[in-house]
């Protein structure tokens, strides 16, 4: 069966510090991968998605970047965190390619980031 | 692109009562509608989904109905229990592109009082 792992679960970072959040998926090949952000009490905002190694699409302009160095690894980064980067970050995967339309997203348990 | 509206934003029911959450969408080409349950401190988990070739789907106490003409779909939870308390999200797909992106509703916080 497929599993998705995110770490760390919680993170407190000062303004201006770098960020690296990691997500890995097991049990599937060439998944589509996604990063979402959820502000407190709010809905889910898509930040990035990837359909393959090195292929990243950004949905919103921001202080963050994403990379996919391996098939089942997705990393969310920032060089200098802002207060507004605080939130709950969720990684998700879905099946690949043309089979992906009309198929669900599967979420990890998220990383709660607090920028102080 | 797709726009998904979800109502109500909060819902409080007595244990044993039914709960209904409604969503509307804008893209008439959409044909897949999942529902997610998010418990505190966790990621959203898929609980049920429906495709447009059916009007209703049921899984034990949970059911989803779809009205493609009116472009709305609803989640029905019967005989609610305290463990049903969570935030529920509906979603609809962004038209086909390179990734399977979903647009989510704003969420409904369901509170089931014992």
């Amino acid at each position: 069966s497929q599993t998705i792992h995110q770490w760390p679960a919680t993170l407190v970072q000062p303004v201006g510090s770098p960020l690296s959040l990691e997500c890995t998926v097991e049990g599937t090949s060439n998944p589509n991968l996604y990063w979402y952000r959820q502000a407190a009490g709010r809905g889910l905002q898509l930040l990035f998605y990837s359909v393959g190694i090195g292929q990243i699409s950004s949905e919103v302009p921001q202080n963050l970047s994403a990379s996919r160095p391996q098939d089942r690894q997705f990393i969310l980064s920032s060089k200098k965190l802002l207060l507004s980067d605080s939130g709950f970050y969720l990684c998700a995967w879905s099946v690949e390619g043309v089979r992906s339309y009309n198929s669900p997203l599967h979420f990890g348990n998220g990383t709660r980031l607090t920028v102080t | 692109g797709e726009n998904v509206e979800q109502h109500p934003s909060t819902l409080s029911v007595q244990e044993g009562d039914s709960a209904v959450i409604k969503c509307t969408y804008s893209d008439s080409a959409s044909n897949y509608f999942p529902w997610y349950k998010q418990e505190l401190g966790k990621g959203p988990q898929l609980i049920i989904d429906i495709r447009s070739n059916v009007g209703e789907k049921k899984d034990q106490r949970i059911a989803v109905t779809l009205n493609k003409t009116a472009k709305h779909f609803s989640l029905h939870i019967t005989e609610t229990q305290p463990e049903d308390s969570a935030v529920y999200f509906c979603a609809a797909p962004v038209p086909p592109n390179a990734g399977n992106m979903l647009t989510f509703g704003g969420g409904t916080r369901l509170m089931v009082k014992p």
Side-chain angles (χ1 to χ4, degrees):
Chain A
S1 64
Q2 302 89 359
T3 56
I4 180 169
H5 303 280
Q6 271 189 258
W7 67 92
T10 60
L11 189 59
V12 180
Q13 292 283 102
V15 168
S17 64
L19 173 74
S20 181
L21 303 181
E22 190 161 343
C23 171
T24 58
V25 180
E26 296 176 356
T28 187
S29 297
N30 197 30
N32 292 340
L33 296 172
Y34 311 82
W35 279 111
Y36 280 83
R37 177 168 57 198
Q38 187 175 31
R42 305 288 291 277
L44 297 155
Q45 180 188 35
L46 178 64
L47 302 176
F48 302 94
Y49 71 93
S50 170
V51 298
I53 296 174
Q55 299 179 64
I56 309 294
S57 296
S58 174
E59 288 300 298
V60 293
Q62 59 201 305
N63 185 42
L64 302 169
S65 62
S67 61
R68 185 170 177 174
Q70 299 181 46
D71 180 42
R72 289 169 288 178
Q73 183 185 27
F74 207 21
I75 297 172
L76 185 68
S77 304
S78 173
K79 292 182 179 178
K80 289 185 178 181
L81 284 168
L82 306 173
L83 286 173
S84 58
D85 291 324
S86 293
F88 192 48
Y89 289 84
L90 290 155
C91 182
W93 72 273
S94 71
V95 296
E96 65 166 313
V98 296
R99 296 190 294 125
S100 67
Y101 189 56
N102 286 353
S103 63
L105 298 184
H106 306 278
F107 288 89
N109 274 328
T111 295
R112 184 159 304 283
L113 172 65
T114 303
V115 182
T116 59
Chain B
E2 180 69 278
N3 183 41
V4 177
E5 300 283 339
Q6 183 172 345
H7 300 279
S9 57
T10 60
L11 179 60
S12 182
V13 300
Q14 206 65 39
E15 182 177 0
D17 289 349
S18 295
V20 181
I21 303 170
K22 298 181 179 180
C23 287
T24 61
Y25 60 98
S26 59
D27 188 348
S28 58
S30 292
N31 56 5
Y32 172 68
F33 307 94
W35 284 91
Y36 288 83
K37 175 184 180 182
Q38 185 177 26
E39 297 178 338
L40 191 63
K42 295 186 177 180
Q45 298 298 309
L46 178 72
I47 55 172
I48 195 167
D49 56 14
I50 190 169
R51 291 174 170 78
S52 61
N53 58 338
V54 297
E56 182 175 0
K57 183 178 178 180
K58 191 172 182 180
D59 182 4
Q60 298 181 13
R61 297 186 296 109
I62 294 173
V64 56
T65 58
L66 172 63
N67 183 327
K68 285 220 73 180
T69 302
K71 291 190 283 188
H72 67 71
F73 56 112
S74 300
L75 178 71
H76 306 254
I77 306 174
T78 58
E79 301 173 28
T80 54
Q81 301 168 3
E83 52 264 38
D84 294 329
S85 297
V87 179
Y88 291 81
F89 292 96
C90 62
V94 177
N97 53 29
N100 178 31
M101 291 186 291
L102 294 175
T103 297
F104 286 84
T108 297
R109 182 173 299 279
L110 174 64
M111 294 169 284
V112 180
K113 293 181 281 188

